[in-house]
């Protein structure tokens, strides 16, 4: 289970390094945008991005779609100043809160969230809340991660988030939404060493599952095992992401 307080601190620390290292997150944005572009709706009355970070997904959506009112949310308040600079007044309000607890004070005909739902303690309930605040024909555009995410880390440490499967997500979505896309992919990154893997995770803030500290021996053992098990001769050592994509419309 994710530690929300720790998550907020680590994303805050990654504020200045996130965009330079979030290769997978931007790949996910590309995918989500391509799915949305295939739909019939080109105009939305009101949108919210849950767990917006630097707001890059919404910023890109605004290049291709018209949205009358844009709202943003993130657990890390420090992103608000970044958003004000990057978005240049194109959003109506920033909500600083845990996305899982977003108040949904109104309906949204576009709800987006990229790489945030895996941190939620009850993702099923979040989907149900979304469903109750999307009008008929409104769009739910999400990504999360599946059970193979960071499989290298989990193999060595035995620790990691409990990720939903595609079948679970389908079960949660199907009572409320027509599912147009529900698909996954494995997306490995390669690094010169296990230390570079850990730096990448730190620079993107994706280490919000625990507060334990390694001794020098534990750290050394981790690095040796990682490079022994996951070294791909020419490419380097791998770190596997397992994104799952959702594009659905409300019944």
């Amino acid at each position: 289970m994710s530690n929300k307080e720790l998550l907020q601190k680590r994303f805050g620390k990654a504020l200045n390094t996130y965009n330079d290292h979030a290769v997978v997150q931007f790949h996910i944005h590309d995918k989500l945008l391509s799915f949305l572009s295939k739909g019939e709706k080109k105009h939305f009355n009101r949108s919210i991005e849950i767990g917006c970070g630097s707001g890059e997904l919404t910023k890109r959506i605004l290049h291709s779609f018209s949205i009358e009112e844009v709202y943003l949310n993130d657990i890390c308040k420090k992103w608000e100043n970044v958003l004000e600079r990057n978005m240049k007044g194109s959003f109506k309000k920033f909500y600083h809160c845990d996305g899982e607890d977003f108040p949904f004070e109104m309906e949204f005909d576009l709800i987006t969230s990229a790489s945030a739902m895996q941190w939620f303690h009850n993702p099923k309930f979040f989907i149900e809340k979304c469903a109750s605040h999307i009008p008929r024909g409104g769009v739910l555009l999400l990504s999360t991660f599946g059970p193979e995410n960071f499989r290298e880390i989990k193999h060595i440490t035995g620790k990691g988030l409990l990720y939903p499967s595609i079948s679970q997500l389908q079960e949660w979505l199907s009572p409320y939404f027509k599912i147009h896309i529900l698909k996954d992919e494995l997306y490995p990154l390669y690094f010169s060493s296990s230390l570079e893997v850990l730096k990448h995770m730190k620079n993107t803030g994706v280490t919000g599952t625990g507060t334990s500290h390694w001794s020098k021996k534990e750290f050394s053992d981790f690095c040796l095992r990682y490079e022994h098990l996951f070294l791909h001769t020419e490419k380097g050592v791998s770190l596997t992401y397992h994104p799952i994509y959702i594009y659905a419309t409300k019944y």
Side-chain angles (χ1 to χ4, degrees):
M1 184 175 289
S2 63
N3 180 326
K4 299 288 185 70
E5 184 177 348
L6 180 64
L7 186 67
Q8 185 174 356
K9 288 179 180 177
R10 289 185 174 170
F11 274 118
K13 288 181 179 179
L15 198 72
N16 296 321
T17 57
Y18 181 85
N19 278 1
D20 291 333
H21 296 270
V23 177
V24 176
Q25 286 77 4
F26 294 145
H27 168 76
I28 288 168
H29 293 172
D30 288 342
K31 288 278 193 174
L32 291 175
L33 190 61
S34 72
F35 300 146
L36 188 61
S37 298
K38 293 175 183 176
E40 296 180 0
K41 287 178 72 71
K42 304 300 177 186
H43 172 81
F44 297 94
N45 296 320
R46 191 180 290 127
S47 73
I48 176 68
E49 182 180 354
I50 302 292
C52 66
S54 60
E56 288 300 315
L57 176 59
T58 291
K59 189 175 178 180
R60 295 188 61 188
I61 289 173
L62 285 169
H63 284 306
S64 304
F65 298 83
S66 63
I67 306 173
E68 291 184 26
E69 294 182 5
V70 174
Y71 295 82
L72 301 169
N73 152 261
D74 202 85
I75 194 172
C76 181
K77 184 170 177 55
K78 290 181 179 180
W79 280 118
E80 186 172 8
N81 291 332
V82 176
L83 291 164
E84 287 173 354
R85 292 196 304 269
N86 290 350
M87 303 287 287
K88 297 178 181 177
S90 59
F91 65 96
K92 191 173 180 68
K93 183 176 179 179
F94 173 78
Y95 288 87
H96 169 231
C97 64
D98 182 349
E100 192 164 11
D101 299 325
F102 184 75
F104 283 106
E105 299 168 337
M106 60 198 86
E107 281 195 331
F108 298 89
D109 56 344
L110 174 61
I111 297 178
T112 67
S113 182
S115 310
M117 198 168 70
Q118 71 275 4
W119 301 111
F120 296 170
H121 297 163
N122 192 343
K124 178 177 182 288
F125 181 61
F126 173 73
I127 287 173
E128 291 169 354
K129 281 207 303 182
C130 289
S132 64
H133 292 87
I134 297 182
R136 184 175 181 181
V139 173
L140 185 68
L141 184 71
L142 306 176
S143 76
T144 185
F145 291 100
E148 293 298 307
N149 203 55
F150 294 165
R151 60 189 181 188
E152 296 90 346
I153 305 288
K154 192 169 185 178
H155 180 85
I156 295 174
T157 67
K159 296 178 182 179
L161 295 174
L162 182 63
Y163 298 101
S165 65
I166 280 190
S167 60
Q168 282 178 304
L169 289 165
Q170 184 170 15
E171 181 182 334
W172 298 342
L173 290 159
S174 56
Y176 314 103
F177 295 97
K178 180 178 180 181
I179 301 171
H180 302 280
I181 292 170
L182 177 56
K183 61 188 292 187
D184 66 343
E185 68 173 325
L186 294 179
Y187 193 94
L189 296 183
Y190 296 94
F191 300 87
S192 59
S193 68
S194 52
L195 181 59
E196 291 301 311
V197 170
L198 295 175
K199 285 181 180 178
H200 164 79
M201 296 179 72
K202 182 180 179 181
N203 287 331
T204 53
V206 294
T207 54
T209 58
T211 56
S212 59
H213 297 282
W214 286 340
S215 67
K216 287 185 178 180
K217 184 179 185 307
E218 287 171 331
F219 179 76
S220 176
D221 288 347
F222 171 87
C223 291
L224 287 171
R225 287 192 67 197
Y226 202 108
E227 292 177 16
H228 173 71
L229 292 169
F230 303 112
L231 177 62
H232 304 263
T233 310
E234 295 180 359
K235 295 180 178 179
V237 293
S238 63
L239 177 67
T240 301
Y241 285 80
H242 183 196
I244 298 178
Y245 305 101
I246 298 164
Y247 172 57
T249 51
K250 180 75 179 294
Y251 285 133

